Amino acid sequence: MRKPYLELLFCLIFASHAFAEKVYLLHDADSPQASYAAGKLANALAELNHVVLEQRGGYERLVSLGLNSERLGPESFQIIPEGKVITVLAGDDRGLIYGAYSLIEQLRNGTSLAAIPPSEEKPNLEFRGIKYNLPWETYRPSSALDQHYETARDPKYWAAFLDMMVENRFNVISLWNMNPFTYMVKPKNFPEASPWTEEQQAEWEALYRQIFRMAKERALDTYIVQWSIFTSEEFSKAHGIAERNFYPHYYVPGDTSELLRRYLRESVTQILNTYPDLDGIGISHGEGMAGMTPLERQKWMDDVMIAGMLDADRKVKLIHRVPFSSGTSSDPGVSKDVEQVTRDAMEILQDRFDGPIWVEMKFNWSHAHSTPKLVKVHGGKLGDTYFEPLPKNYKITWQARNEDFFCLRWGVPSFIREHIALNGKASYVGGYFIGSETYIPALDYFTVSNQTVDWDYAFERQWLFYKLWGRLLYDPETPDSVFQDAFNYRYGDEAKNLLNAYSLASSTQLRLASLYDSRWDFTLYSEGFLALQGEVTKYIGIDHLISHPTMDPSYVSISEYVETLQSGGSFSVDRITPLRLAADLERDNREALELVDKIDTSDNASLMYEVADVKAWAHLGLHLAAKLRGGVALQTYRETGEQAQQRAAIQHLESALGEWDRLIEVTRPIYRDMRLTHYNHNSFDANSDNLFHWALIRDEVAQDVDLARAAR
């Protein structure tokens, strides 16, 4: 249940009462985007006790929302105060909305209308998107995903989510599921493909129309993205083809029968013609195409998906995902030959699509929240085929996947700035996607609901994550004060240290994901200290941590460290050894705990959760620090037989267990046992035994101490 920020709001209203003015908002009422911007601004003014006039006469302050594309570029805006008039001038509708939200932000931070300063902002990256997996026919069968079904069918939820996006200056919403066509249209020539009654079909279409309309009103681009040769079960059974190419199967042979080609090609065209507010489609040539060579896959895409898009009665946008399998299986792989085939196929399209083709690549596979250095993409190390020579009709968009933290709030602005500095400046880069495959930010299935909090939905809990990524993608120079002010607006002076505390404590996750090499989704869940080991997802025990390779090449694994030292070697100052990492974790997480130690959360449950998450990350970081020290001592004992090293290992691993107990002490009262898609393990089937909480795996953590005691 939502609780408004009543106390702070009352203070703002009281403080602003003497400055309350009669305000008229001048805007183009015929423009949905200008009307949206004016509506949000009017609500904010009313919250702060201003009177928003319906008629122009008698105003004390006029706020003019206007466009000037000759003066300003796309998505840019200026705020120009002149006497009784404040002009928000923008290069386009999107910039106008950003300008209105910028003015709202200043007002909520306590700046009066009379004191609004002049300002100007413009975008750094052109594409700033969110990857959103829908809970119907989503990529993996799991109750962790299915549980969002009702929430994601509620237009109120989508209004809130899309508001969050434009407030944080994202500009693309991409909706992903295996076969969107079944939900969006009843195919004219293949009605047997639809499982719905007329009433159900109408409900689905109304939902999609509403989402796309609300997105357009907010100047967001919209895409649907699907995996490859998938259809409805009804279509497959009616025609005896594509016998497993439907949900929940996904690693299945490609069915290239002509009837299926026609059904999918016509569905693509029909969807684009049925939903004029839908901007484009994303294509993938991976799952559902086993048994096909890379060239066969590309030709199928050209013949079906691309042809269907080009047959639409308007020019549309295209997302083209790369790289995919370099052989005939569904397994990932990189290959210069396949990269060249894909590049040639995109370049031959020239300018037949609206704007550049957005070429999506997974940054560091499924774990972008690791090192900001590009180590790998989906399948391995990427060559320069897509970059040399410079492309003319496409741009790279990095997929910054998050499969590592869903419950605990996260926020490290320096990491995002460094990520953009290292990977976002090249002329061939268009921007980023942010999102998850194994998590949907809809239903709040985390919070113990015995207290009133100020959020309704899961994404609102992670407000800092979205604000950091969105605002820094728009402008990496956005100062930390913007994000600290957002804390202050929510919680007042008690929150003055929270941004710094989160920057320190949630860096734990980045360090673990840099230390522990990972690949696809389930291979790491940093928040839970879990990883796929063999066929099973489980706690990363000390032996596994000792031997596992690192993601970031500058990090040193425990086994490499001990082996090098025992052979008389050493490491350069730019290498991050286990003991150096342990010291960094100890320093930063102790400081984070000190920063939140005196915060009074007794009368604010929402603030209590914010502080608790800092503590949870900090104890997880201190757990890792002690575990690293214990691992070095244990491996040294195994190499040398020194009993003192075994005793040290036991002591450090007991300390690590103590920090885990403190983590449980913080989280057990306030977090439920949470469904986790990673607990599907290495299976394609849903697992009903999939509840995670740090308390549930304490026995696994304690095994480290037993192992050290029994070591020989």
Side-chain angles (χ1 to χ4, degrees):
M1 180 179 179
R2 174 176 295 276
K3 175 184 177 183
Y5 312 116
L6 291 177
E7 294 183 5
L8 180 60
L9 186 58
F10 288 154
C11 290
L12 288 171
I13 291 173
F14 180 79
S16 64
H17 185 78
F19 304 102
E21 299 185 27
K22 296 177 182 178
V23 183
Y24 181 73
L25 300 177
L26 177 63
H27 68 284
D28 181 1
D30 293 330
S31 164
Q33 293 76 29
S35 296
Y36 171 82
K40 289 297 180 183
L41 186 52
N43 290 340
L45 289 166
E47 283 178 6
L48 297 171
N49 213 37
H50 298 286
V51 176
V52 180
L53 302 174
E54 295 186 7
Q55 304 297 324
R56 187 166 182 165
Y59 67 78
E60 295 170 311
R61 187 80 53 183
L62 184 144
V63 179
S64 169
L65 306 176
L67 303 178
N68 189 331
S69 59
E70 297 298 321
R71 184 192 299 184
L72 298 171
E75 302 187 296
S76 302
F77 67 88
Q78 291 179 318
I79 296 178
I80 309 167
E82 297 172 311
K84 295 171 61 176
V85 178
I86 298 174
T87 299
V88 178
L89 194 66
D92 58 11
D93 290 330
R94 194 171 283 163
L96 190 68
I97 292 173
Y98 298 162
Y101 268 112
S102 178
L103 185 55
I104 290 169
E105 184 175 75
Q106 294 181 66
L107 293 171
R108 286 177 172 168
N109 289 338
T111 304
S112 68
L113 285 167
I116 293 294
S119 60
E120 180 173 355
E121 296 189 50
K122 61 182 180 180
N124 175 62
L125 289 166
E126 188 177 355
F127 188 105
R128 306 179 303 280
I130 286 181
K131 173 194 190 306
Y132 192 107
N133 276 27
L134 293 167
W136 42 91
E137 294 198 19
T138 193
Y139 183 61
R140 301 184 188 282
S142 171
S143 61
L145 304 174
D146 297 343
Q147 65 184 332
H148 300 283
Y149 188 91
E150 292 301 326
T151 305
R153 290 194 67 176
D154 185 351
K156 292 181 181 178
Y157 165 75
W158 285 106
F161 190 83
L162 299 176
D163 279 347
M164 176 278 294
M165 287 187 63
V166 290
E167 181 177 357
N168 293 324
R169 302 185 194 173
F170 290 101
N171 61 8
V172 173
I173 175 71
S174 57
L175 305 176
W176 301 50
N177 62 338
M178 285 179 61
N179 177 29
F181 316 122
T182 303
Y183 297 86
M184 298 180 71
V185 292
K186 176 172 283 189
K188 294 176 182 177
N189 291 316
F190 300 96
E192 70 277 9
S194 176
W196 314 116
T197 65
E198 292 298 325
E199 182 180 4
Q200 290 170 328
Q201 184 70 48
E203 289 174 355
W204 281 113
E205 291 189 18
L207 174 63
Y208 276 97
R209 287 184 190 278
Q210 202 161 2
I211 294 172
F212 298 148
R213 178 189 58 76
M214 289 191 293
K216 190 63 63 179
E217 179 183 49
R218 292 158 176 77
L220 289 163
D221 285 348
T222 52
Y223 293 82
I224 57 169
V225 186
Q226 50 86 241
W227 288 269
S228 305
I229 306 180
F230 292 104
T231 180
S232 68
E233 186 173 0
E234 289 74 15
F235 179 89
S236 296
K237 289 182 175 179
H239 301 288
I241 57 178
E243 295 180 356
R244 286 174 57 83
N245 293 70
F246 50 81
Y247 183 82
H249 315 293
Y250 47 97
Y251 282 164
V252 294
D255 189 304
T256 59
S257 57
E258 191 55 45
L259 194 67
L260 181 57
R261 287 175 184 262
R262 181 182 173 189
Y263 156 68
L264 291 175
R265 185 178 67 249
E266 291 183 5
S267 293
V268 168
T269 305
Q270 186 175 340
I271 281 173
L272 291 169
N273 290 339
T274 300
Y275 297 92
D277 288 335
L278 172 63
D279 292 284
I281 292 180
I283 61 173
S284 311
H285 36 345
E287 290 83 352
M289 302 185 98
M292 302 171 67
T293 67
L295 184 57
E296 288 171 335
R297 296 175 195 227
Q298 186 62 57
K299 287 182 176 179
W300 187 93
M301 282 293 167
D302 294 341
D303 186 46
V304 179
M305 300 298 295
I306 299 295
M309 295 174 73
L310 295 175
D311 283 343
D313 58 13
R314 59 192 171 94
K315 203 171 186 179
V316 298
K317 300 176 185 290
L318 173 63
I319 294 170
H320 197 305
R321 305 186 68 210
V322 303
F324 276 96
S325 303
S326 54
T328 58
S329 73
S330 296
D331 294 329
V334 291
S335 160
K336 186 174 182 63
D337 291 341
V338 177
E339 291 166 8
Q340 192 61 57
V341 165
T342 310
R343 174 168 184 156
D344 292 344
M346 291 188 294
E347 290 186 328
I348 202 171
L349 294 169
Q350 297 180 332
D351 63 351
R352 300 182 72 186
F353 285 92
D354 180 11
I357 298 170
W358 304 111
V359 178
E360 179 261 323
M361 294 182 182
K362 294 179 188 175
F363 192 97
N364 287 344
W365 214 320
S366 294
H367 300 274
H369 295 84
S370 52
T371 171
K373 304 168 188 172
L374 179 61
V375 178
K376 65 181 82 172
V377 292
H378 185 93
K381 188 174 178 61
L382 184 70
D384 62 1
T385 309
Y386 292 110
F387 315 133
E388 297 290 343
L390 288 175
K392 295 180 180 179
N393 71 331
Y394 66 82
K395 288 191 174 183
I396 304 301
T397 48
W398 300 117
Q399 177 72 264
R401 287 271 291 275
N402 167 32
E403 314 302 341
D404 288 284
F405 52 90
F406 311 143
C407 175
L408 300 180
R409 294 158 178 84
W410 181 97
V412 188
S414 60
F415 166 77
I416 299 174
R417 289 193 185 95
E418 185 179 4
H419 208 296
I420 296 168
L422 290 176
N423 308 288
K425 290 187 175 181
S427 60
Y428 53 77
V429 174
Y432 283 71
F433 289 86
I434 309 301
S436 305
E437 197 99 295
T438 58
Y439 164 67
I440 297 174
L443 177 72
D444 175 9
Y445 59 102
F446 309 103
T447 306
V448 171
S449 56
N450 59 357
Q451 299 186 69
T452 301
V453 294
D454 59 15
W455 64 84
D456 294 317
Y457 304 115
F459 76 86
E460 293 170 320
R461 301 174 66 262
Q462 286 282 8
W463 65 269
L464 181 62
F465 169 82
Y466 291 106
K467 186 172 287 292
L468 286 173
W469 268 113
R471 293 295 294 270
L472 292 173
L473 287 174
Y474 182 85
D475 181 6
E477 301 302 317
T478 301
D480 280 356
S481 60
V482 168
F483 310 113
Q484 182 56 57
D485 285 345
F487 273 113
N488 297 342
Y489 170 67
R490 281 171 160 75
Y491 307 117
D493 190 56
E494 288 289 341
K496 63 184 179 182
N497 294 326
L498 275 178
L499 179 65
N500 192 16
Y502 268 104
S503 298
L504 293 165
S506 61
S507 289
T508 292
Q509 180 273 317
L510 299 171
R511 285 164 164 161
L512 175 58
S514 297
L515 171 70
Y516 189 96
D517 190 30
S518 57
R519 297 172 288 113
W520 59 283
D521 311 347
F522 299 173
T523 55
L524 183 63
Y525 175 51
S526 302
E527 175 180 71
F529 220 97
L530 304 179
L532 185 69
Q533 299 165 57
E535 297 295 309
V536 179
T537 298
K538 57 185 178 180
Y539 173 76
I540 303 171
I542 189 63
D543 274 345
H544 201 66
L545 188 68
I546 287 171
S547 61
H548 198 76
T550 66
M551 165 78 84
D552 189 326
S554 66
Y555 277 59
V556 180
S557 71
I558 294 174
S559 58
E560 180 190 357
Y561 177 71
V562 172
E563 181 181 352
T564 300
L565 291 190
Q566 291 304 312
S567 64
S570 61
F571 294 93
S572 60
V573 294
D574 61 334
R575 298 297 302 280
I576 301 173
T577 65
L579 294 185
R580 174 183 165 187
L581 177 58
D584 291 344
L585 286 161
E586 178 95 24
R587 179 198 64 227
D588 289 351
N589 286 295
R590 294 288 181 204
E591 183 179 349
L593 288 173
E594 289 178 9
L595 287 170
V596 300
D597 182 54
K598 302 298 183 183
I599 297 178
D600 180 8
T601 66
S602 58
D603 60 350
N604 191 324
S606 301
L607 179 59
M608 178 272 292
Y609 272 94
E610 299 270 12
V611 171
D613 283 4
V614 170
K615 293 178 179 179
W617 279 124
H619 290 304
L620 194 66
L622 294 171
H623 169 79
L624 176 56
K627 193 177 178 82
L628 286 165
R629 292 179 177 125
V632 169
L634 179 60
Q635 188 67 6
T636 302
Y637 166 65
R638 287 168 171 166
E639 294 286 334
T640 65
E642 297 175 21
Q643 293 293 324
Q645 291 292 338
Q646 183 183 28
R647 290 193 294 271
I650 294 169
Q651 182 179 9
H652 288 309
L653 293 174
E654 285 177 336
S655 296
L657 180 59
E659 291 298 339
W660 196 270
D661 285 337
R662 294 180 188 94
L663 169 63
I664 294 171
E665 183 180 347
V666 170
T667 58
R668 181 78 277 185
I670 62 175
Y671 286 124
R672 303 174 182 175
D673 294 348
M674 301 162 277
R675 294 184 176 106
L676 182 65
T677 311
H678 295 62
Y679 275 146
N680 281 11
H681 308 303
N682 200 18
S683 171
F684 300 147
D685 301 315
N687 176 19
S688 59
D689 184 18
N690 66 352
L691 293 179
F692 169 79
H693 192 284
W694 298 272
L696 299 178
I697 61 171
R698 192 213 183 253
D699 288 348
E700 295 180 53
V701 181
Q703 289 173 12
D704 280 353
V705 180
D706 296 336
L707 189 148
R709 286 177 176 147
R712 297 289 181 270

